[in-house]
Amino acid sequence: MSTVTKKRPLTAMLCCALLVALGTVLKMYATFNITLGAVIISRVGFHLLTVYLAAMLFGPVCGMITGALVDFLSSILAPVGAYNPIYTLTLLLTGLLIWICYELLFKRVKPAFLRILLTVLLVQALFVWPINTLWTVVFYGSQKGFWGLLISRAPSLLFYIPAFTIALSAIVPILEKQLRSMGVTVRI
C-alpha cells in the first residue's frame, strides 16, 4: 500500500475516481486510429495517461482499479464492437506493471524524466504493444499473423513513448505538489 492510501484513503479514492472519469472520457473521445491505406492498424488514445498517473501516484491497487474501470466503463458507455474482458485484464495488469517499473525497477533513476521514460518504454514496448497485438490476432484474426501485425502496429509506439513521457514529466510534479499541499504524502 502506498503512502497516499495510508495517510488519506478518501483523498486517494477521490483522486482515482476522477482519474477513472477522465480516462473514460479520453478513451471515448480522444482515441484515434492509425491507418495504412484503408486498414486500421492501431488505435491510439490518451486514456492510458490516467492509468500511469494512478499507478505512479497512488500505488498498484489504484493503478489496477483505474485501468480496469476505464476500459470497462468506456466499453459500456461507448462500445466499439463487442466487449472483450481480456482487454480489461490487460489494462488492469498494465496498472500493476507501471507501478513495478516506476517504484521498484527504476526508483533510484535520476532525473525524474529518465525514470518516467524508462517506465513508459518498458511498459509500452514489452507489455502493452505485444499483448494487445496477441489478443487481436487470437480473437479477431489477422492475415499477417502475429509478427506481421506487431510490426504494422509499431508506429503507435512512436506516438506513445515520447507523448506519454513528456506529458507525465509535466503532470506528475504538478500533481505531487498539489497533493502534498492538501496534506497527502505521495511516494515519488
Side-chain angles (χ1 to χ4, degrees):
M1 186 179 284
S2 74
T3 306
V4 172
T5 53
K6 288 179 187 171
K7 282 273 230 178
R8 299 272 176 125
L10 187 61
T11 305
M13 285 191 302
L14 177 63
C15 289
C16 286
L18 290 172
L19 288 171
V20 167
L22 178 62
T24 302
V25 169
L26 287 173
K27 188 165 183 185
M28 290 168 38
Y29 299 111
T31 300
F32 57 93
N33 295 324
I34 296 177
T35 59
L36 186 61
V39 177
I40 297 171
I41 57 172
S42 187
R43 294 186 69 202
V44 176
F46 293 97
H47 63 284
L48 275 172
L49 281 174
T50 60
V51 180
Y52 274 94
L53 289 171
M56 291 163 80
L57 294 173
F58 302 109
V61 174
C62 290
M64 293 166 65
I65 291 170
T66 300
L69 286 175
V70 164
D71 188 68
F72 180 73
L73 291 173
S74 63
S75 296
I76 298 297
L77 297 173
V80 178
Y83 171 70
N84 191 336
I86 200 75
Y87 289 105
T88 304
L89 177 64
T90 300
L91 215 47
L92 180 138
L93 292 174
T94 301
L96 175 63
L97 187 59
I98 292 165
W99 180 82
I100 288 171
C101 292
Y102 192 74
E103 279 296 321
L104 299 180
L105 295 179
F106 305 126
K107 185 172 183 114
R108 297 175 194 246
V109 173
K110 300 289 181 205
F113 178 82
L114 183 59
R115 181 180 179 192
I116 291 170
L117 173 65
L118 290 172
T119 299
V120 171
L121 183 65
L122 190 70
V123 169
Q124 292 302 127
L126 297 181
F127 183 71
V128 174
W129 175 49
I131 202 75
N132 280 340
T133 303
L134 175 66
W135 298 144
T136 300
V137 170
V138 168
F139 292 108
Y140 305 109
S142 171
Q143 294 176 342
K144 300 176 185 179
F146 173 77
W147 293 107
L149 187 60
L150 187 72
I151 291 167
S152 69
R153 294 178 65 165
S156 65
L157 286 179
L158 298 176
F159 166 80
Y160 279 124
I161 293 169
F164 282 15
T165 302
I166 291 167
L168 290 168
S169 295
I171 295 169
V172 167
I174 294 168
L175 285 179
E176 178 190 21
K177 183 178 177 183
Q178 186 64 34
L179 288 168
R180 286 197 175 144
S181 73
M182 294 170 23
V184 178
T185 305
V186 180
R187 284 184 10 188
I188 292 189

